[in-house]
Amino acid sequence: CSHRLRQVKVHADLKEKLLTALPPGCDVAPMCAFFPGVRGSLIKGYFLKDRSEDPSSSDQVLRDLARRDPVLVCSYVRCEDGGTWTQNLWPDAHSETIKKFYVAQSEAPEVHPSALNIINSDVFYSLEEAREVLKESSDIIPEAASVLEYLPSRVEPRGRADFPVIVIEGLDATGKTTLTESLVGALGATLLRSPPQCLSPFRARFDQEPPLIRRAFYALGNYITADQAIREAGKAPVIIDRFWHSTAAYAIATALRGPVHNLPAEGSEVYRWPGDLFQPHLVVLLTLDPEERRRRLKDRGLIKTKEEEKLEHSLFRLKVEEAYRRIIGPACVTVDASPSADQVLQQVQLLIKAKCH
């Protein structure tokens, strides 16, 4: 497989190796290295804080990793002056000497380093870019070849649609299912979902993969759904339960750690709609007070996915919601989902009449 796939697989496997091999008392946290403002310079890794009783055991684990795997190992030591640190690059399979560098304080970068790595890595902006990742991974993931068979032979970003295509977005428990089913009945519409039903047998497999492969899988699901929507919109209105907005918003919020202001600024290219993906006529984003959403989740006893568990943390939820709002071409129209289901349905029907003629 390609260099970038080897890189993401090594990074994903590294944490498991560290947690398994290191002695008790070692804390492992995410870490990254980068050149400020340089696209594609981001290198992901882990920071180890050793509180174990025998640090020599940790040293041996790390030395073995540096010599056996394509991994750089550095240690940080405070100098005698108490204010300066050195970074010591350990020997690897090609070197026998420790390289020492001084650590200097610098200003925070204007753009979060992960933001420069999002395009066609965490969020995909063309069918070919996402398809290429699954092609490259087919040697290590047999299911990838099966997914590729479902892809349309060609994409129609401006495909003819005699009837409107409407996307319903929102976090879990905001009433998406109720609204989509009501709209299907009221409009005599066809209901589609992204990822589509044909990819359901593969979701559990790809959810275990590193972000590059997992996000490419979900991006391809959008293109399959778009192809279905174009065909169905020639016969009746189409309602889609989640589409590209969800794929992009969750990926952006996950890739960028820290507070909301770490998100790329409004108008950034990461929020642009893929040029080869069919654009729906209307995208409705259902919003709900966090406490009410939690109450609904509890009442329904819903099983939480990993991303749903993250939403319980207000910071991640705020980043997802803000990313939703910043996506353009088309942008989301926000609808308060706290009134009754009938009231929400009426409000969305008025939007459809106004926006879709």
Side-chain angles (χ1 to χ4, degrees):
C1 57
S2 70
H3 171 70
R4 64 174 175 172
L5 283 182
R6 285 198 302 271
Q7 196 174 44
V8 298
K9 291 293 283 184
V10 167
H11 178 253
D13 295 341
L14 180 58
K15 185 175 183 179
E16 187 64 30
K17 288 182 179 180
L18 290 172
L19 294 176
T20 302
L22 290 170
C26 293
D27 297 330
V28 179
M31 185 182 183
C32 65
F34 59 94
F35 294 110
V38 178
R39 188 185 302 277
S41 68
L42 184 71
I43 301 174
K44 295 182 180 180
Y46 298 99
F47 186 82
L48 167 64
K49 195 166 188 177
D50 191 349
R51 296 190 178 93
S52 65
E53 296 180 357
D54 183 14
S56 63
S57 298
S58 305
D59 285 358
Q60 189 58 51
V61 170
L62 297 178
R63 291 183 194 282
D64 290 344
L65 280 173
R67 289 192 172 93
R68 194 173 63 244
D69 294 333
V71 176
L72 293 174
V73 179
C74 306
S75 58
Y76 295 87
V77 180
R78 190 188 294 273
C79 298
E80 292 182 359
D81 63 12
T84 310
W85 290 74
T86 61
Q87 179 195 57
N88 303 314
L89 183 60
W90 291 19
D92 57 20
H94 308 288
S95 172
E96 293 298 327
T97 59
I98 294 179
K99 297 178 182 179
K100 181 181 290 187
F101 305 89
Y102 285 97
V103 179
Q105 186 174 355
S106 67
E107 295 181 359
E110 292 184 9
V111 179
H112 191 283
S114 293
L116 299 172
N117 204 53
I118 283 177
I119 294 178
N120 294 324
S121 178
D122 294 285
V123 183
F124 288 86
Y125 297 84
S126 77
L127 173 66
E128 284 308 313
E129 289 285 353
R131 191 206 306 260
E132 191 60 32
V133 172
L134 257 66
K135 276 184 180 178
E136 293 172 1
S137 62
S138 58
D139 290 341
I140 55 176
I141 307 173
E143 293 86 347
S146 300
V147 173
L148 293 172
E149 292 177 1
Y150 287 103
L151 292 179
S153 56
R154 61 191 181 93
V155 293
E156 299 182 60
R158 299 290 182 267
R160 185 172 181 272
D162 295 325
F163 291 87
V165 177
I166 299 136
V167 175
I168 308 298
E169 293 279 7
L171 307 182
D172 287 348
T174 52
K176 287 195 318 305
T177 301
T178 301
L179 176 60
T180 53
E181 291 176 352
S182 298
L183 285 172
V184 166
L187 302 177
T190 300
L191 176 61
L192 299 176
R193 290 183 170 85
S194 185
Q197 187 65 34
C198 62
L199 296 188
S200 294
F202 310 111
R203 288 185 67 176
R205 178 68 177 86
F206 282 92
D207 281 344
Q208 299 172 6
E209 293 300 322
L212 175 70
I213 300 172
R214 184 171 71 251
R215 300 301 183 190
F217 167 76
Y218 282 101
L220 293 176
N222 287 325
Y223 284 96
I224 296 171
T225 299
D227 186 58
Q228 294 173 345
I230 292 170
R231 285 187 276 110
E232 294 298 331
K235 301 175 285 186
V238 174
I239 308 296
I240 304 179
D241 185 347
R242 285 187 170 172
F243 197 41
W244 190 81
H245 286 75
S246 285
T247 308
Y250 278 86
I252 292 168
T254 302
L256 291 155
R257 297 180 178 275
V260 175
H261 66 70
N262 279 350
L263 292 175
E266 289 189 55
S268 167
E269 58 185 332
V270 305
Y271 301 119
R272 64 178 169 83
W273 191 266
D276 61 354
L277 183 63
F278 174 75
Q279 292 186 15
H281 299 85
L282 174 65
V283 181
V284 175
L285 174 63
L286 298 179
T287 61
L288 195 62
D289 175 76
E291 288 300 323
E292 173 62 16
R293 196 181 72 86
R294 275 195 289 270
R295 185 190 66 76
R296 291 186 183 184
L297 280 170
K298 185 178 179 181
D299 289 347
R300 296 174 190 177
L302 295 179
I303 298 174
K304 295 179 183 177
T305 62
K306 287 184 179 180
E307 288 191 327
E308 180 57 41
E309 288 176 352
K310 281 185 181 180
L311 288 172
E312 293 303 305
H313 302 285
S314 58
L315 183 57
F316 181 72
R317 187 184 69 252
L318 289 172
K319 287 193 293 184
V320 171
E321 291 175 338
E322 188 57 35
Y324 265 127
R325 294 188 182 99
R326 294 184 184 185
I327 293 172
I328 55 174
C332 294
V333 178
T334 302
V335 171
D336 180 13
S338 57
S340 68
D342 286 341
Q343 289 175 300
V344 173
L345 173 62
Q346 290 174 12
Q347 187 175 349
V348 173
Q349 284 179 305
L350 290 174
L351 272 175
I352 293 170
K353 289 179 181 178
K355 300 283 186 180
C356 304
H357 310 293

